[in-house]
Amino acid sequence: MARAAGGASGRVALRELSRLRLEFGRGPAQRKRVLLSQLERASLVTSADLLGLHEALCFMRAYPDDRAALAQAERMLARFERRADLRRHRAKLGDSGIAGTAIRYRFFAETMGWLADRWPGHLRIDWDEIDESPLLERLLPLLGIDAETPGFDEYDYGLRGWIDRMKGAGETDAAFLIQRLRARVPDSFLHEALADFLDLPFVLEPGSGTPSRTLALGPRKRVAFQRAPLASGRPSLAAEAQRAPLAVRPVSSREGRKLIDLALAAMITRSRDLDVFAYGDPRDVRMVEWGDGLSFACIGARPERRLLLESVYGFLTLKNGVPVGYVLTGALYGSAEIAYNVFETFRGAEAAAIYARVLAMTRHLFGADTFTIPSYQLGGAGNDEGLRSGAWWFYRKLGWAPRDRGARRMIAAEEGRMRRRASHRSSLATLAKLAEHPLFFSTGRARTDVMGVIPLARAGLAVTRAISKRYGADRERAQRDCEVAAMNLLGVSRLAGWTRSERHAFARWAPLVALLPGLEGWDQDERAALLDVVRAKGGRRESDFVQRFDGHSKLRQSLRVLVERTRE
């Protein structure tokens, strides 16, 4: 019987495997398999080494050298939580996303509900992180029924003590709390506001099927093996943006639900949350295929959770079915705001090449020819991770530029220093100043009617000013009157054949329709087209709204006039 490798030899093998991470071909592939065999038997001494092995295996699953290396990596991942050294270091590897370890996080309301529905026996409140203030104890009457109030008033068991007494046999404190909050606050928006205000910490204990990065795998029809070096150069975004995906495939609601679950798990196991994944609509999910193992799960939001104007989609980036990152886009006016993230394990591989596909995909799905990156994504607004990662220069070297004149002068000065001294690096202070301004990239002519320039938020401000002046606190009457006014302006008496979501979209848009400058002068076809735009906001696929909005030139212009004449 082969003897298990010792800790020292295991560490040596792990270091060599890490050095070979981005090397491909017959020789490196053979050597990786030998090293994996050693590491499969090794007893690693530190939690850092275990995490390093886990990340190497995840990387090899996404970028497998050949069929044998893939099978070996997948076998080791499937058995990872049963390793004896993992059991020793389980506590230290908490929040790593490794199968068999716990996750501690202050989940968003919808996410904690998703976890409680699927793994009610594994989710609990992290009492060690809670300050049991009087504010929290005031929850008690909300959690119980009227007949329990004499006990609440008399006995001071504390919030934890009362929940322990109130929950059922076999029911965790978290499952009880989440179920009671849902029952007492059925309005999903109020429930979300309360849950976010409470900001309770939770622990997801490991169990069968609980989210992990170890076992996360999406659909893959055929594995693309990596036999040559990864593309390391900077792609031409202008050229790459003209490419079309191999396929954009709508999926069934059942498959859509699985892809949303995969996206949620990818975020949870990295201590993140994303609204569009949490409120994803299984009916508005598509797979965007690029070949070479690269695909994106395109996920839209439920109609009631969509923004009033821009359409927001989340994309889970998959390499041979392995989640390697995510993208968030907001699209309108033939433009798109893009937030791009590569999970840490997969950074340094082909981030720029995948990013080129992101722009091409966004152009293809939304008809965008202008793209913007918000300040936060660059390291602004307190995003220290983005600042320290050097995100700003990653995008600048791909051709992105700010429109602010002061920022452009700063760039010219920094690039001049780099030409004079190749070793020059921008200080964090300089990067923080540069990150205050969004970056732009255009494949067509430069326009000012684009995301990041048009102050779309002022549309809401215009509505607030208009209804506050006339209605004050009686917002319900304002809503009713606006709906009547919008119907009259659009020349319709009823919304025959519209779904509940489409009617809800009309109610949301009615105050804005009533304020659009010049609408009275539109012809019948233009008003009917506006009605189609509004209906699409509540339709199955929100990208249809973008296409209809962008195709309505008078609506585009009227909304722009409204927001630009509204002062903050």
Side-chain angles (χ1 to χ4, degrees):
M1 181 180 293
R3 176 182 292 179
S9 60
R11 178 170 291 180
V12 170
L14 181 60
R15 287 177 178 172
E16 184 178 355
L17 184 64
S18 298
R19 288 196 299 270
L20 292 173
R21 175 174 177 265
L22 298 179
E23 294 186 25
F24 298 94
R26 179 175 297 180
Q30 291 175 343
R31 185 57 185 162
K32 288 176 189 177
R33 292 198 298 272
V34 171
L35 294 169
L36 286 183
S37 295
Q38 294 176 14
L39 289 163
E40 189 170 16
R41 301 189 304 271
S43 179
L44 299 177
V45 175
T46 69
S47 58
D49 285 346
L50 265 173
L51 180 60
L53 173 58
H54 181 269
E55 303 310 283
L57 292 170
C58 290
F59 188 88
M60 290 184 67
R61 194 181 207 186
Y63 296 92
D65 298 77
D66 51 34
R67 198 169 302 280
L70 176 61
Q72 197 168 5
E74 291 194 323
R75 182 181 68 248
M76 291 177 67
L77 285 170
R79 299 174 179 174
F80 207 87
E81 66 178 305
R82 300 199 295 271
R83 291 179 64 106
D85 45 11
L86 178 64
R87 290 195 293 270
R88 289 198 303 273
H89 295 291
R90 194 185 306 274
K92 290 184 179 179
L93 288 170
D95 303 326
S96 66
I98 295 176
T101 64
I103 297 172
R104 289 173 168 79
Y105 193 56
R106 296 175 183 266
F107 300 110
F108 286 179
E110 191 70 9
T111 303
M112 69 185 189
W114 179 77
L115 291 169
D117 288 342
R118 286 159 179 77
W119 301 282
H122 295 275
L123 189 66
R124 61 177 177 82
I125 299 172
D126 191 355
W127 292 104
D128 292 339
E129 295 296 319
I130 287 183
D131 175 17
E132 290 195 52
S133 65
L135 179 62
L136 285 174
E137 292 192 11
R138 292 181 66 180
L139 269 176
L140 287 173
L142 183 67
L143 302 180
I145 59 177
D146 287 348
E148 295 177 273
T149 54
F152 297 152
D153 294 340
E154 181 68 21
Y155 300 106
D156 185 15
Y157 295 134
L159 183 64
R160 184 176 188 177
W162 270 112
I163 289 180
D164 283 344
R165 284 167 171 78
M166 295 169 75
K167 67 184 181 67
E171 188 175 41
T172 69
D173 48 15
F176 169 83
L177 177 63
I178 292 167
Q179 183 175 340
R180 291 305 302 148
L181 287 177
R182 279 174 168 172
R184 295 305 300 268
V185 191
D187 182 289
S188 65
F189 290 92
L190 290 177
H191 174 265
E192 178 185 26
L194 176 61
D196 290 348
F197 177 73
L198 293 174
D199 194 28
L200 294 173
F202 292 91
V203 180
L204 179 65
E205 300 288 0
S208 177
T210 54
S212 76
R213 295 194 292 112
T214 311
L215 305 176
L217 188 67
R220 58 181 187 188
K221 292 184 178 180
R222 186 176 63 180
V223 175
F225 296 106
Q226 193 66 42
R227 305 187 190 280
L230 294 169
S232 57
R234 296 190 190 108
S236 167
L237 295 186
E240 291 293 321
Q242 305 303 317
R243 297 182 60 172
L246 294 180
V248 178
R249 177 175 60 87
V251 303
S252 67
S253 293
R254 183 178 180 182
E255 187 178 354
R257 181 67 260 173
K258 289 180 178 179
L259 288 167
I260 292 170
D261 289 350
L262 182 68
L264 278 170
M267 304 302 285
I268 288 167
T269 53
R270 293 169 173 87
S271 298
R272 299 171 185 243
D273 234 326
L274 196 65
D275 273 350
V276 73
F277 288 163
Y279 294 105
D281 186 349
R283 303 176 311 149
D284 191 6
V285 178
R286 285 163 282 180
M287 286 297 298
V288 183
E289 309 284 356
W290 283 99
D292 293 328
L294 178 65
S295 60
F296 296 86
C298 169
I299 298 171
R302 301 172 203 161
E304 70 275 11
R305 289 286 174 170
R306 294 171 182 170
L307 298 184
L308 182 68
L309 295 173
E310 61 265 45
S311 293
V312 175
Y313 276 82
F315 298 83
L316 183 66
T317 311
L318 301 168
K319 183 70 176 181
N320 283 316
V322 177
V324 298
Y326 66 95
V327 183
L328 186 66
T329 67
L332 205 64
Y333 277 97
S335 62
E337 186 176 273
I338 299 177
Y340 175 63
N341 187 284
V342 178
F343 295 143
E344 186 175 0
T345 304
F346 308 98
R347 292 174 188 170
E350 49 179 358
I354 293 177
Y355 191 66
R357 298 290 184 272
V358 168
L359 260 64
M361 174 175 62
T362 305
R363 182 178 181 275
H364 181 81
L365 291 177
F366 306 110
D369 64 9
T370 303
F371 310 90
T372 180
I373 303 172
S375 174
Y376 184 82
Q377 177 76 5
L378 301 167
N383 180 9
D384 291 337
E385 179 187 355
L387 199 65
R388 296 180 184 280
S389 71
W392 195 92
W393 279 109
F394 170 80
Y395 295 113
R396 174 59 183 163
K397 290 175 181 178
L398 288 173
W400 291 76
R403 294 190 175 184
D404 180 82
R405 291 183 180 179
R408 294 176 80 96
R409 286 194 293 270
M410 288 182 63
I411 294 170
E414 281 296 287
E415 291 178 337
R417 295 184 186 99
M418 291 175 178
R419 285 192 296 270
R420 292 189 296 273
R421 183 163 58 90
S423 62
H424 174 77
R425 295 293 181 270
S426 301
S427 67
L428 286 178
T430 298
L431 288 175
K433 290 180 181 178
L434 288 171
E436 293 175 0
H437 308 281
L439 296 180
F440 294 86
F441 184 88
S442 297
T443 60
R445 63 179 180 83
R447 296 186 285 120
T448 56
D449 58 337
V450 296
M451 297 276 293
V453 177
I454 294 181
L456 291 175
R458 292 187 193 171
L461 189 58
V463 171
T464 297
R465 287 178 177 170
I467 64 175
S468 296
K469 184 176 181 180
R470 181 175 177 184
Y471 298 95
D474 197 354
R475 252 48 183 183
E476 288 71 24
R477 185 165 68 93
Q479 179 66 49
R480 291 193 300 270
D481 288 355
C482 286
E483 290 181 39
V484 171
M487 297 280 278
N488 291 334
L489 283 167
L490 296 177
V492 294
S493 59
R494 59 195 183 95
L495 304 176
W498 285 41
T499 67
R500 181 179 179 180
S501 294
E502 291 167 344
R503 290 173 181 272
H504 178 64
F506 182 84
R508 296 181 67 205
W509 260 71
L512 184 59
V513 169
L515 290 177
L516 287 174
L519 179 57
E520 300 87 349
W522 293 10
D523 63 33
Q524 185 176 351
D525 289 343
E526 290 164 344
R527 297 184 193 207
L530 170 55
L531 198 61
D532 287 340
V533 170
V534 176
R535 187 175 188 176
K537 177 57 83 166
R540 175 179 179 180
R541 190 158 286 139
E542 196 182 4
S543 55
D544 294 341
F545 163 82
V546 178
Q547 295 169 359
R548 285 177 171 80
F549 179 96
D550 287 348
H552 199 309
S553 58
K554 283 198 173 179
L555 173 57
R556 290 173 58 148
Q557 179 60 22
S558 182
L559 179 60
R560 184 180 182 185
V561 169
L562 175 66
V563 299
E564 290 183 347
R565 71 167 51 156
T566 302
R567 293 290 171 248
E568 297 177 4

